[in-house]
Amino acid sequence: MADLPAPARLDRTTAAALDTSIPDANLSQAQLSRRRLLRSAGVIGRVAGGAAVPFEPVVVSGPGRNRPLRDSAVRHWLAGDHHVHTVFSPDGVHTVLDQARHAHDNGLGWMVVTDHGGPTHVRIGAELTAPEVRTARRALPELLVFQGLEWQIPAAEHGTVIVTPGPGDVDLLTEFERDFDANVTGSTAWTRANEALAVAGVRWLGAQVDAGRIHDALFLANHPSRQGLDTPHELRNWRDADPRVAIGFEGAPGHQAAGITAPDGPGESRGYYGRDRGTDPNQYQAYPQESYRTWGGFDWMTATVGGLWDSLLAEGKPWSITANSDSHDIYLHPARRREALTKADFDRDGRYPPPEYRAGLNTKAGDYWPGHYSRTHVGSGTRSYRGVARGLRDGRVWVDHGHLVAHLDVRVRRAGAPPGRGVTIGGTLAPPRGSRVEVTVRATLQDRANGAGFVPSLNRVDLIRGAVRGGPAAERDRFTAPDTRVIRSWDTSGSRGTLTLVHAVDDVDEPFYVRLRGTDGNIGQPGLLGPSIDPSGPRMDPAGAADPWLDLWLYSNPIWVVPS
Amino acid sequence: MIIGVDAGITSYTEADALAGSLPARLSSAGDLAGIHTATHTVQVGDPRFVVTAFWPPGAHPAGDAVWTAVLAAVPGAGIVLTAPQEQDARTSGPDLAVLGAWVAATRIARGLSGRVVTWPGAAELTGRMPLAEALERGGLDGVEVIGGDPAGPDETFDPLGFVRPRWRADGCVLQVQRGDDGVLVPFEPEHLPR
């Protein structure tokens, strides 16, 4: 990290002490004491970010109008996609309307246009996008089309910024992009100053909500493990900077067709997760090689039971997952960007013209249309922009691939409560200490063919439980949760219609969370942290040989149980 | 003997190219038999790549000759020349760059990390072959399967024309994953995704 004074003496002791890829435990006494000296002098160390809270019962407490919705008020589960590119991205192909039409046809109720932040987009792109978004809203009244941004986060990866539509929404997004996008401000390198700029960006969005400039603003980290750039402490710092705004990350990245074997497909890594430790100096060096690949199509942070996502949840603070298309260029689609066009054309015009028909199927493209393969289901009180934003913030989210199930209802209730009662995904049940609670899963199994033309089967359901222990300040870079594991699996093969599963927890005394995972059961292997944690988890997707339709998973957000 | 070179490189391809070309650039130092080169990511100061050249214990060229050659080969860079058991080194260049070179040299000395670009046997890894043969002919000390079960000696390895082992306490270790049809391929692809 930057801001380093020249040490008095350059020797191996200093070199080892300064090299934060070496854990304290591997240093000699002399090296460790040198490191302590350097740390106390502020030469090494991380951005402090928000102060860690020892333990806070999990409930998102927003300002009045953004209070979590009561479960009984949830009337709609709307599938959506918060990561879609258009002709206003330098690597985009399709128009806003074309993306929206496909989203609608694939059954989505909402989507977010997230073109890349950058000098051209901030200059004219965002402004040119607005009328096309309005056109799509008029043409498809059943689809909520947010205009958002794919933020190049300073010192980190990409992220989605969502704002609810309203007067001045695009101006606000543009101000944000001008001041905080790393492509605009030249702040991509991993330095303390750039980490702080990202935190300031999250706070700025929250401040605009507080000032009444906009009803709601959300931020989610996209493809967080792809390049090893989003460190655990940055994720925590964003969250703690304003937990109303920084609400989660992509549990599964887009580009799910990228791993289809050549020549029928791109033959690359699923999700374009094909990087490697040691190939980018901005990487967080403690992440293992395994983090650079997808696992059953999901990001390592989410797919590892007891991994990074669970380490966040174990602090008792909400953090949501999503699954999106990252749709740029569509697998097997014959329309492509006009051949003669260059980045210079894009920079001049702020956009590309609509694509042209080209004979032959595009087997090199790695993306699906919004909703074709990946869905983020959000529980909302109303079919509205504000309702979807609130549902996302409340964590009322589950995600699936390949339309694995038609609908999912997970609840936790006190034993004996009537069916259909209890808190649902994202919520917190506060039963008296010592009581018995039941986790109830009702899955409406799929009876319609998905985008690949077959009816998928939910063949196994796993219940995952994790202890909530708070988050000590010293553990900002933690990415394991030792008290999280799969506690029950159901073989659900051969089921039809609606499936009901119940798991009872007796004598509840400590806070915990439960979350759900389901799969077609085609492919699996013991989890990364061992079979006692996860007997049959997802497999690391093999390079150039990952057919996404043969490896389907669903994940729910947690439900919290905090006995009182 | 270990040489660390911090030329302030931030591009992955430039770092790889510098490591690959170091043996030729140092040829004036005499017989370089046994030379390894590697890249390292260093985050002391602004994040950047540092390159090392090193000889595992045993024969290595004369220190004076190598020192002269490396100063001429990468002028202006932070350079250190040391050995695994030494606490001190010859150094040249700006302080922060010398520190970067020290960090990388320390990682080699302690067998902590390094992305190996050149090593004896690299040229032998062409075409599909049984894993045992790849280790033997390629002069590799071990293999690690990422994200899968350990590999057996008879499994097929396809180097795909690009192999970058890792330097660790147990030597020069090949990292692989299972690709199409279960064939073992290098974990690091030649062309990183966009």
Side-chain angles (χ1 to χ4, degrees):
Chain A
M1 313 281 295
D3 320 323
L4 184 83
R9 181 177 149 73
L10 299 174
D11 59 12
R12 181 163 304 140
T13 302
T14 305
L18 281 166
D19 185 357
T20 47
S21 78
I22 307 176
D24 285 1
N26 292 2
L27 295 179
S28 69
Q29 275 308 316
Q31 290 161 345
L32 190 58
S33 76
R34 184 77 51 91
R35 176 172 289 180
R36 289 195 180 115
L37 188 71
L38 293 165
R39 206 175 258 150
S40 66
V43 174
I44 51 174
R46 308 273 189 223
V47 173
V53 178
F55 172 69
E56 194 177 73
V58 183
V59 200
V60 188
S61 44
R65 61 186 175 181
N66 284 330
R67 270 199 318 273
L69 198 65
R70 291 162 56 92
D71 286 302
S72 57
V74 177
R75 307 221 184 283
H76 306 275
W77 281 87
L78 300 174
D81 184 329
H82 72 63
H83 193 171
V84 180
H85 293 269
T86 74
V87 292
F88 298 103
S89 287
D91 52 359
V93 176
H94 298 285
T95 62
V96 172
L97 185 58
D98 208 13
Q99 292 282 26
R101 199 177 278 144
H102 282 89
H104 176 261
D105 290 352
N106 287 325
L108 298 191
W110 60 276
M111 63 169 260
V112 188
V113 174
T114 50
D115 287 305
H116 293 288
T120 299
H121 188 265
V122 77
R123 178 171 57 87
I124 46 175
E127 189 186 331
L128 291 172
T129 307
E132 301 216 357
V133 167
R134 286 195 295 271
T135 299
R137 287 173 184 158
R138 278 195 302 273
L140 300 161
E142 292 155 16
L143 179 72
L144 302 166
V145 185
F146 291 86
Q147 180 168 348
L149 170 74
E150 185 161 36
W151 180 23
Q152 178 76 48
I153 308 167
E157 258 284 359
H158 301 169
T160 283
V161 174
I162 304 173
V163 295
T164 44
D169 57 347
V170 176
D171 290 344
L172 183 141
L173 276 174
T174 304
E175 271 180 57
F176 175 81
E177 185 177 350
R178 181 195 67 202
D179 293 345
F180 299 106
D181 189 277
N183 289 333
V184 177
T185 56
S187 53
T188 50
W190 187 31
T191 65
R192 290 178 199 214
N194 292 342
E195 277 197 10
L197 184 64
V199 166
V202 173
R203 289 211 179 99
W204 187 87
L205 287 170
Q208 306 318 301
V209 175
D210 291 338
R213 279 189 73 189
I214 197 124
H215 181 80
D216 215 339
L218 301 171
F219 152 56
L220 298 106
N222 291 342
H223 37 75
S225 297
R226 183 180 63 163
Q227 302 184 77
L229 301 182
D230 288 355
T231 63
H233 69 266
E234 283 171 293
L235 293 164
R236 289 181 167 91
N237 289 348
W238 302 334
R239 176 196 64 189
D240 295 342
D242 194 331
R244 301 169 304 165
V245 173
I247 58 161
F249 53 34
E250 284 186 325
H255 309 306
Q256 289 282 330
I260 296 174
T261 305
D264 291 347
E268 297 204 36
S269 295
R270 194 169 176 181
Y272 293 125
Y273 272 44
R275 287 171 178 269
D276 189 279
R277 268 183 88 172
T279 57
D280 182 341
N282 295 302
Q283 287 169 346
Y284 180 58
Q285 304 198 355
Y287 284 147
Q289 282 289 33
E290 289 86 352
S291 72
Y292 290 91
R293 295 291 180 276
T294 52
W295 292 72
F298 278 68
D299 186 286
W300 163 87
M301 293 183 184
T302 294
T304 307
V305 175
L308 196 149
W309 185 34
D310 287 313
S311 79
L312 298 174
L313 301 180
E315 291 176 43
K317 296 182 183 181
W319 191 253
S320 189
I321 58 164
T322 59
N324 306 289
S325 65
D326 202 350
S327 178
H328 291 70
D329 203 358
I330 309 300
Y331 175 56
L332 295 186
H333 199 269
R336 306 191 204 171
R337 192 184 308 139
R338 295 180 195 186
E339 221 159 30
L341 291 169
T342 65
K343 178 75 167 26
D345 296 307
F346 176 85
D347 288 338
R348 185 194 59 228
D349 299 339
R351 61 170 296 160
Y352 292 116
E356 63 181 3
Y357 177 78
R358 207 139 358 121
L361 300 174
N362 191 355
T363 55
K364 303 281 187 222
D367 313 345
Y368 292 118
W369 293 110
H372 184 79
Y373 183 76
S374 305
R375 302 188 297 180
T376 298
H377 305 262
V378 178
S380 174
T382 56
R383 194 176 281 276
S384 66
Y385 292 97
R386 294 180 180 191
V388 168
R390 188 163 168 182
L392 281 165
R393 174 180 310 92
D394 291 354
R396 215 175 299 107
V397 174
W398 63 278
V399 304
D400 70 344
H401 274 167
H403 296 213
L404 181 54
V405 295
H407 182 60
L408 185 67
D409 183 295
V410 188
R411 285 171 194 273
V412 179
R413 56 184 177 158
R414 288 185 63 186
R421 297 292 289 275
V423 300
T424 187
I425 298 169
T428 304
L429 185 75
R433 205 172 291 277
S435 56
R436 172 185 165 99
V437 302
E438 286 175 353
V439 182
T440 313
V441 180
R442 281 166 58 85
T444 310
L445 300 175
Q446 197 53 271
D447 59 359
R448 290 165 57 174
N450 60 20
F454 70 97
V455 179
S457 304
L458 179 69
N459 288 326
R460 200 184 75 233
V461 173
D462 301 320
L463 185 67
I464 295 159
R465 174 177 167 162
V468 172
R469 302 232 181 276
E475 300 197 343
R476 304 291 285 177
D477 275 316
R478 172 176 272 283
F479 55 82
T480 55
D483 299 318
T484 300
R485 68 195 64 234
V486 175
I487 56 163
R488 181 142 180 202
S489 291
W490 290 273
D491 178 350
T492 55
S493 53
S495 307
R496 296 244 181 284
T498 299
L499 181 72
T500 301
L501 307 168
V502 179
H503 177 81
V505 180
D506 285 319
D507 196 15
V508 169
D509 63 342
E510 297 288 336
F512 65 94
Y513 64 90
V514 287
R515 61 183 182 85
L516 205 72
R517 185 179 70 181
T519 175
D520 61 2
N522 284 339
I523 296 174
Q525 66 181 39
L528 251 181
L529 301 181
S532 64
I533 301 293
D534 184 7
S536 185
R539 174 189 65 169
M540 192 183 85
D541 288 306
D547 185 328
W549 300 97
L550 296 176
D551 188 19
L552 302 179
W553 296 79
L554 68 80
Y555 288 72
S556 84
N557 261 351
I559 300 175
W560 313 84
V561 178
V562 181
S564 53
Chain B
M1 181 192 297
I2 306 165
I3 305 160
V5 178
D6 181 354
I9 294 172
T10 55
S11 148
Y12 154 74
T13 48
E14 282 176 32
D16 199 77
L18 175 60
S21 67
L22 260 189
R25 293 184 191 215
L26 300 179
S27 59
S28 64
D31 180 9
L32 301 178
I35 189 171
H36 293 55
T37 66
T39 68
H40 307 262
T41 53
V42 169
Q43 293 164 340
V44 180
D46 286 336
R48 63 197 183 280
F49 288 101
V50 176
V51 168
T52 52
F54 56 100
W55 287 260
H60 60 79
D64 288 340
V66 170
W67 182 246
T68 306
V70 72
L71 288 180
V74 203
I79 300 173
V80 305
L81 189 152
T82 183
Q85 303 310 323
E86 284 178 23
Q87 266 296 315
D88 273 315
R90 297 193 211 188
T91 67
S92 169
D95 278 355
L96 193 58
V98 167
L99 196 57
W102 253 120
V103 165
T106 300
R107 291 188 194 162
I108 292 297
R110 301 189 52 191
L112 289 168
S113 60
R115 179 178 160 277
V116 180
V117 177
T118 310
W119 75 100
E124 299 295 317
L125 296 178
T126 55
R128 289 191 173 197
M129 63 185 93
L131 181 61
E133 188 184 331
L135 297 181
E136 171 73 28
R137 276 173 48 194
L140 296 163
D141 298 302
V143 62
E144 180 189 10
V145 180
I146 306 295
D149 293 331
D154 299 331
E155 286 190 52
T156 302
F157 171 66
D158 188 339
L160 301 177
F162 186 85
V163 182
R164 296 289 182 265
R166 293 307 197 263
W167 185 251
R168 307 195 314 201
D170 48 350
C172 201
V173 174
L174 179 65
Q175 290 187 324
V176 296
Q177 62 183 328
R178 288 198 175 78
D180 200 2
D181 300 332
V183 169
L184 298 166
V185 297
F187 187 81
E188 182 181 333
E190 180 169 11
H191 302 289
L192 297 178
R194 60 193 157 124

